[in-house]
Amino acid sequence: MENTQKTFRSNSLTSQEFIELEEKWCAHNYRPIPVVLTEGKGVWVWDVEGKKYLDMMSAYSAVSHGHCNPKLLSALTEQANRLSMCSRAYYTDVLPLFLQKLCFLTNMDCALPMNTGAEAVETTIKAVRRWGYFVKKIPENKAEIIVMARNFHGRTTGIISFSSDTDYKHGFGPFLPGFKEIPFGDTKALEAAITPHTCAVLTEPVQGEAGVIVPPKGWLTEVSNICKKHNVLLIVDEVQSGFGRTGKMFACQHENVQPDGMILGKALGGGFFPVSALVGKDHLMRVFTPGSHGSTFGGNPLGAAVALRALELTEEEKLPERSAELGDYLMFQLKAIQSPCIQDVRGQGLWIGLDIKKEYASARLVCEKLKENGVLSKETHETVVRLAPPLVISREELDWGIGQIRKTIENL
Ligand SMILES: *Cc1c(COP(=O)(O)O)cnc(C)c1O
């Protein structure tokens, strides 16, 4: 049957009308904050009625470089005008430069480019299992990966198989075997969980989706030592924490830990393009052979050009240093808010979770009120409001946001 619905491309509709259209035509796998965005620049975004908001969510760190960053936009358009897509059936003059830069930055030997974070995690599961069989000589199909309770690594069927969140799993079984869950931050549990069949430990350095949970100091170092002792690979998922979010280029650098593999995504695409990668040491990465893994779009020239420029900008504009300095400032200012509604303020760099006491308000309600006051955030679970602005934010812009947050909390 012919679709008789009119399609709209301009701002001829109101926010409410766009929301109704999206609710009708888009699967309900998200529950968005009711705001309809049409433009972004730096740390600011505008809705279709022209109201301006400070983005304190940055698309879960994908927009760390700021919205429509002009330098990244020119890298994108330049490459788009030259060669945008060609599969890995051929070499290009941009992919190796991007991956070389990525390996220098992470102190790794080799990278496998993919598109989304979840794909890079899936890539990792394949890599560490193969390493387990080929190098560690684990008997076939016995490899185990140790993961953390309340982890978040993406939404594919493989990944949700080891999620501890029942919402992520409900109705999607049967699940992939071969994972063992231990509490986050507990080294004793880790020692106890390792068997001769353990090939890897997979962890976030800071648990983002769980509510910006920072592990005890020294924990990751201890994990790294335990892994070495038992010939187990350490894989750190830095998809959200990477590229300055926590105040270091990578969160594992807070502990000077060098993992065997690192999973990257989100900010790697500069807010323009999905670019992800598994980067690792040779002993892990050489398990890949032609045909053992692939992706039509992974490593495409357009994504590679933007990602290369995004890496350069992260260094040139000192985004990790900015994040450390402004993150400390934000933390100090939030802790200074005297309100009985606040249970806890925690985080690292410009990545802060504001835990709201249930009896006062849900995190969702706080996010909706923040939106009314011109600040965009998004709740995670029932109680946590996450604050993670683009790392290019200025002190003045941050001050404005802090003022609005204070006002919102004080009026709950
Ligand atoms: C977002 C995220 C992923 C998944 O990335 P997608 O691009 O959404 O597939 C994986 N790991 C962590 C830690 C993340 O925050």
Side-chain angles (χ1 to χ4, degrees):
M1 219 176 89
E2 207 189 292
N3 191 343
T4 51
Q5 193 93 35
K6 231 173 137 189
T7 54
F8 295 90
R9 295 190 57 236
S10 69
N11 293 348
S12 55
L13 301 186
T14 64
S15 287
Q16 195 48 42
E17 288 167 323
F18 277 115
I19 289 171
E20 280 161 21
L21 272 182
E22 189 162 317
E23 290 299 318
K24 174 162 168 52
W25 295 104
C26 187
H28 293 177
N29 59 326
Y30 274 86
R31 191 178 162 220
I33 298 290
V35 58
V36 181
L37 301 179
T38 183
E39 257 185 80
K41 190 167 190 285
V43 299
W44 304 98
V45 287
W46 285 262
D47 72 12
V48 293
E49 275 86 21
K51 182 172 171 186
K52 184 178 169 183
Y53 303 86
L54 178 66
D55 181 1
M56 291 202 72
M57 227 276 286
S58 326
Y60 307 92
S61 280
V63 190
S64 282
H65 298 83
H67 290 274
C68 301
N69 185 301
K71 290 174 182 160
L72 292 172
L73 179 61
S74 54
L76 178 93
T77 51
E78 236 165 72
Q79 188 63 44
N81 277 310
R82 209 179 155 85
L83 177 70
S84 58
M85 230 24 97
C86 79
S87 71
R88 294 271 314 280
Y90 313 106
Y91 296 94
T92 67
D93 58 0
V94 51
L95 181 60
L97 305 180
F98 157 45
L99 298 184
Q100 179 185 43
K101 175 88 190 161
L102 189 61
C103 287
F104 281 156
L105 216 56
T106 51
N107 190 29
M108 293 291 191
D109 301 320
C110 181
L112 198 158
M114 296 294 283
N115 312 284
T116 64
E119 287 173 307
V121 174
E122 290 284 349
T123 303
T124 305
I125 294 168
K126 288 171 76 173
V128 299
R129 283 180 166 185
R130 251 203 183 183
W131 176 88
Y133 302 126
F134 290 8
V135 180
K136 191 170 174 176
K137 308 293 181 199
I138 295 170
E140 203 174 316
N141 294 329
K142 297 285 187 209
E144 292 167 356
I145 300 171
I146 295 175
V147 298
M148 304 303 141
R150 306 189 69 203
N151 67 72
F152 183 85
H153 299 285
R155 308 299 195 105
T156 60
T157 49
I159 294 168
I160 60 164
S161 293
F162 57 90
S163 172
S164 30
D165 193 320
T166 48
D167 284 349
Y168 297 168
K169 300 181 83 152
H170 182 61
F172 298 131
F175 299 109
L176 194 65
F179 301 95
K180 212 184 237 184
E181 184 190 287
I182 60 166
F184 184 61
D186 183 342
T187 47
K188 283 209 177 69
L190 173 59
E191 286 258 28
I194 292 176
T195 74
H197 294 166
T198 307
C199 60
V201 171
L202 168 64
T203 186
E204 299 154 84
V206 172
Q207 289 191 324
E209 297 306 298
V212 195
I213 313 288
V214 183
K217 206 165 159 34
W219 174 74
L220 197 61
T221 307
E222 197 51 27
V223 170
S224 173
N225 293 338
I226 294 169
C227 286
K228 284 201 186 88
K229 189 168 106 191
H230 295 276
N231 192 25
V232 168
L233 299 170
L234 173 60
I235 308 292
V236 179
D237 180 346
E238 294 250 16
V239 169
Q240 198 164 160
S241 56
F243 305 112
R245 178 51 62 189
T246 68
K248 296 270 187 195
M249 186 60 84
F250 300 104
C252 56
Q253 292 170 343
H254 286 285
E255 303 240 342
N256 288 316
V257 162
Q258 174 66 50
D260 300 280
M262 205 188 264
I263 309 168
L264 300 166
K266 292 197 169 118
L268 186 54
F272 280 97
F273 215 81
V275 181
S276 70
L278 166 65
V279 288
K281 291 293 188 184
D282 259 337
H283 58 264
L284 170 63
M285 300 305 286
R286 68 172 173 238
V287 301
F288 287 109
T289 46
S292 59
H293 196 51
S295 156
T296 303
F297 293 106
N300 69 78
L302 192 51
V306 174
L308 173 59
R309 195 73 189 101
L311 294 178
E312 290 169 355
L313 282 188
T314 305
E315 287 186 309
E316 285 167 22
E317 302 192 351
K318 298 196 172 7
L319 298 186
E321 291 83 350
R322 291 183 69 89
S323 174
E325 195 187 315
L326 292 172
D328 282 350
Y329 178 71
L330 177 59
M331 178 69 87
F332 179 80
Q333 294 293 337
L334 292 174
K335 284 197 164 157
I337 298 176
Q338 296 296 326
S339 164
C341 313
I342 299 178
Q343 173 75 38
D344 190 21
V345 189
R346 53 175 181 262
Q348 215 169 29
L350 278 173
W351 196 17
I352 291 179
L354 196 58
D355 212 330
I356 306 293
K357 277 193 195 143
K358 272 199 193 80
E359 54 272 34
Y360 287 92
S362 66
R364 173 73 187 197
L365 183 73
V366 176
C367 288
E368 286 175 0
K369 289 189 182 245
L370 278 172
K371 183 215 93 175
E372 294 305 315
N373 288 326
V375 172
L376 296 186
S377 174
K378 182 80 167 75
E379 78 280 4
T380 178
H381 297 284
E382 249 71 279
T383 63
V384 184
V385 177
R386 72 179 104 203
L387 299 168
L391 303 182
V392 295
I393 194 167
S394 70
R395 172 80 171 253
E396 292 67 37
E397 290 164 332
L398 192 57
D399 272 331
W400 185 84
I402 291 164
Q404 299 306 97
I405 293 167
R406 184 184 297 116
K407 188 168 106 186
T408 306
I409 298 284
E410 285 171 355
N411 287 302
L412 277 181

